Amino acid sequence: MSKAIVIGAGIAGIASAIRLALKGYQVDVYESNAYPGGKLSEFEQDGFRFDAGPSLFTMPQYVEELFKLAGELPQDYFQYEKLDEVCRYFWDDGTHLTAWADTEKFADEIAAKTTSKREELFAFLAKSKQIYEITNHVFLEKSLHKLATFLNIPTLKSILRLPQIDAFRTMAKANESFFSDKKMVQYANRYATYNGSNPYQAPATLNVIPHLEQHFGAYFPKNGMFDITLSLVRLAERLGIKFHYNSYVEQILVENKETKGIIIHAEKRFADVVVSNMDVYFTYKNLLKDAKQPQQILKQERSSSALIFYWGVKKQFKELGLHNIFFSDDYQKEFNTIFKEKGIDDDPTVYINITSKLKADDAPEGCENWFTMINVPNNIGQDWDTLIAKAKLNIIKKINKNLKVNLDELMVTEAILDPRTIESKSFSYQGSLYGTSSNNQFAAFLRHANFSSKIKNLYFTGGSVHPGGGIPLALLSAKIVGEMIPSTS
Ligand code: FAD
């Protein structure tokens, strides 16, 4: 039986393993942590459960697809619900806006609470849909590095429509043309953060993202985000895949320009195919030290990182929902501070995710589990302890002002995740959340391919390679890898 080794049990590593097992491979997954999921994990503290990383679940069809491929019913493993309410937005001047999943209702909300008109939202979302329809086949679902991708009618049709994807102005410029109210421009610009980019630099092609959320919907896994990981691990184990935890892979074995397996605990483990779910930067720097390094790819700008305060709060807030955003007053200044100065603005946009709103046992009675996050730069050796202490004060000040509380008195437990710990826990270079940034028009073409052009039978999956970061794209990278690797029979 042909053997495959997957390095890393991040969501893309697990999904790649499942696809290879279904192609007839005997698959071993080596994971350096004691648990699966990488960034998509959870922890408990003082009676509160927290999803450690991702909090927004979109495109559940890519998860479901894996169960269906295996001939299983997705609902036997994994349940989730569609959200009626996508996000609650707050501004310091007292404006509150709810983004409803029902677009008509959202348009009414915008007309009632801002100076923008209903039609502005419809035009914005129509453009978003158009970009999705053009880019989906070309940029997301196929390798950009295989000629075959381009030699079919749907792709050729998409290529002819590329001038319509709005690649030659920034998101911020485009959004100023869609919305007359500054608050709505800010709402639209925020989508750049969904892949760690800067709306004042990133091409307006990223306006594809609202279509994913507003058209396909935002969802909540009934047992929390970590259940995405756990349910796929259950499926993988059922398919005979073996997970080896606390197992850091030290080297990828290469002989005569072909991979032969890996070295772990100083021992060789042989395989016909190796898939690396480790960040491509560290795959080259740590596991392929003797290989030719793709310098141009590895030196690209990284996406932003995050600073998260996991707070147990002994109060329940009616004005808050599952997803909440407290916007900064000067968004452009905030992004300049993150991307140009590599610092944290004194007035950061604060995101609070509260899963106990939908999953009551995530917090003790009368309490809430707050996942409080701000966007911060990638780790280039800043004085994080000083930055974090200052950011905490600024975040609390902003929340106190908006919710008219004294948060210090309500906090019963705290844990912190910052770019350094994101880097050390998942081997993500500079603690970036989404691999490389999409701050220029060519970003999609500059990500590493899902295979090595120099080393036979070596593949790459996950948020640091094509098509990019975030759960849906990480799952698509696994799909591309799975479809590229030949079946064993
Ligand atoms: P990872 O999750 O990084 O997993 C890689 C795994 O490989 C890790 O478990 C690591 O330990 C293991 N590994 C690495 N090297 C080795 C080695 N040499 N040997 C053995 N094991 C190794 N996405 C969304 O869709 N929605 C969100 O709301 C969202 N929010 C986020 C918030 C935060 C705070 C973070 C950190 C990320 C967020 N993301 C979000 C991004 C999303 O989590 C990632 O894009 C996705 O989980 C990446 O999955 P992955 O499989 O590529 O890699």
Side-chain angles (χ1 to χ4, degrees):
M1 196 178 192
S2 299
K3 289 187 175 179
I5 284 178
V6 177
I7 304 168
I11 196 67
I14 303 168
S16 302
I18 291 171
R19 287 178 179 274
L20 289 180
L22 292 172
K23 284 201 146 179
Y25 287 85
Q26 181 189 319
V27 189
D28 285 272
V29 180
Y30 292 91
E31 167 54 53
S32 103
N33 290 322
Y35 53 86
K39 299 185 183 76
L40 189 46
S41 60
E42 70 169 6
F43 70 96
E44 288 193 28
Q45 185 169 299
D46 298 329
F48 295 84
R49 189 197 72 86
F50 295 98
D51 281 312
S55 52
L56 176 65
F57 182 36
T58 53
M59 309 297 269
Q61 60 269 39
Y62 297 143
V63 179
E64 290 214 340
E65 187 184 357
L66 292 162
F67 296 105
K68 290 181 184 160
L69 274 177
E72 302 277 343
L73 289 174
Q75 59 272 30
D76 286 349
Y77 288 80
F78 177 59
Q79 278 125 37
Y80 57 89
E81 63 186 280
K82 187 161 192 244
L83 301 176
D84 290 337
E85 190 186 294
V86 177
C87 188
R88 294 188 190 182
Y89 293 102
F90 299 79
W91 282 268
D92 283 356
D93 69 0
T95 307
H96 297 181
L97 188 80
T98 301
W100 299 100
D102 176 339
T103 303
E104 293 287 336
K105 199 169 164 189
F106 184 25
D108 287 343
E109 175 91 356
I110 289 169
K113 306 264 181 77
T114 75
T115 56
S116 276
K117 300 195 172 54
R118 288 166 51 84
E119 292 67 32
E120 297 177 18
L121 178 71
F122 298 136
F124 172 67
L125 292 176
K127 184 69 191 176
S128 181
K129 179 168 185 261
Q130 184 189 44
I131 299 173
Y132 175 79
E133 285 169 355
I134 299 171
T135 54
N136 189 29
H137 303 294
V138 195
F139 293 109
L140 302 183
E141 291 186 350
K142 296 265 178 335
S143 172
L144 281 181
H145 307 85
K146 295 271 186 197
L147 191 59
T149 299
F150 300 95
L151 300 180
N152 62 71
I153 302 293
T155 307
L156 289 174
K157 276 190 185 160
S158 290
I159 289 171
L160 288 175
R161 295 177 69 199
L162 280 180
Q164 296 167 20
I165 68 171
D166 222 351
F168 295 104
R169 55 180 177 168
T170 63
M171 275 182 99
K173 273 273 166 274
N175 293 334
E176 278 166 21
S177 75
F178 285 115
F179 292 108
S180 53
D181 190 308
K182 262 173 55 189
K183 291 192 172 74
M184 289 308 297
V185 175
Q186 198 170 14
Y187 147 84
N189 283 347
R190 183 185 157 247
Y191 284 105
T193 66
Y194 281 35
N195 72 2
S197 300
N198 175 355
Y200 300 92
Q201 281 178 281
T205 310
L206 287 199
N207 274 337
V208 65
I209 299 171
H211 183 66
L212 308 187
E213 186 176 81
Q214 199 64 33
H215 172 77
F216 290 106
Y219 296 82
F220 180 71
K222 288 212 163 123
N223 293 318
M225 293 296 284
F226 186 49
D227 205 36
I228 304 174
T229 297
L230 289 183
S231 61
L232 289 179
V233 169
R234 279 197 294 279
L235 174 67
E237 287 177 340
R238 190 165 177 151
L239 296 173
I241 295 164
K242 288 204 187 75
F243 287 85
H244 309 262
Y245 296 109
N246 300 307
S247 299
Y248 177 79
V249 172
E250 289 140 24
Q251 194 183 323
I252 295 175
L253 275 173
V254 182
E255 283 172 24
N256 299 326
K257 300 187 178 169
E258 187 171 348
T259 177
K260 296 290 176 192
I262 57 162
I263 297 184
I264 182 155
H265 307 314
E267 274 180 25
K268 290 182 180 172
R269 303 279 159 88
F270 295 100
D272 303 284
V273 163
V274 172
V275 179
S276 179
N277 176 217
M278 186 183 206
D279 187 314
V280 68
Y281 181 91
F282 285 126
T283 302
Y284 277 98
K285 297 287 174 195
N286 296 7
L287 311 189
L288 289 168
K289 287 186 190 136
D290 297 333
K292 188 169 170 8
Q293 308 277 306
Q295 301 296 0
Q296 285 305 108
I297 292 180
L298 301 187
K299 73 174 194 205
Q300 280 177 79
E301 182 192 34
R302 286 265 143 175
S303 81
S304 53
S305 188
L307 170 61
I308 297 129
F309 295 96
Y310 308 92
W311 285 325
V313 174
K314 59 174 182 189
K315 183 173 159 58
Q316 293 180 327
F317 289 82
K318 278 209 267 329
E319 54 275 64
L320 299 179
L322 175 67
H323 300 291
N324 310 276
I325 289 285
F326 295 83
F327 273 122
S328 62
D329 263 350
D330 188 339
Y331 219 28
Q332 185 156 12
K333 178 167 150 289
E334 183 185 353
F335 279 97
N336 270 341
T337 311
I338 296 173
F339 283 91
K340 304 233 160 81
E341 295 167 22
K342 299 288 180 189
I344 303 179
D345 197 67
D346 285 344
D347 178 23
T349 294
V350 180
Y351 166 67
I352 305 179
N353 172 251
I354 311 171
T355 61
S356 61
K357 292 281 183 196
L358 298 185
K359 188 173 172 300
D361 62 356
D362 278 354
E365 182 125 21
C367 300
E368 289 180 343
N369 64 339
W370 284 23
F371 168 107
T372 312
M373 176 174 127
I374 58 170
N375 296 307
V376 303
N378 42 336
N379 176 25
I380 52 163
Q382 296 92 326
D383 175 0
W384 285 109
D385 291 336
T386 305
L387 284 173
I388 291 168
K390 195 166 167 214
K392 181 174 170 179
L393 292 176
N394 286 326
I395 292 170
I396 291 177
K397 192 167 95 188
K398 191 167 186 78
I399 294 171
N400 286 350
K401 183 173 164 195
N402 272 274
L403 298 179
K404 301 184 178 47
V405 287
N406 182 350
L407 199 57
D408 285 313
E409 286 173 358
L410 300 175
M411 241 184 252
V412 291
T413 192
E414 177 184 82
I416 300 176
L417 186 72
D418 66 55
R420 296 166 301 185
T421 38
I422 292 171
E423 180 158 9
S424 62
K425 282 184 172 179
S426 58
F427 296 97
S428 298
Y429 180 47
Q430 297 182 342
S432 76
L433 304 192
Y434 303 97
T436 50
S437 80
S438 293
N439 284 340
N440 68 69
Q441 295 100 320
F442 309 106
F445 298 96
L446 297 174
R447 290 198 177 87
H448 199 287
N450 302 100
F451 60 97
S452 166
S453 55
K454 304 269 186 299
I455 303 167
K456 207 172 155 211
N457 296 331
L458 175 61
Y459 297 86
F460 301 91
T461 193
S464 69
V465 296
H466 177 70
I471 298 167
L473 298 197
L475 289 171
L476 282 177
S477 80
K479 181 174 179 163
I480 295 169
V481 162
E483 287 173 358
M484 220 174 237
I485 297 176
S487 298
T488 56
S489 51

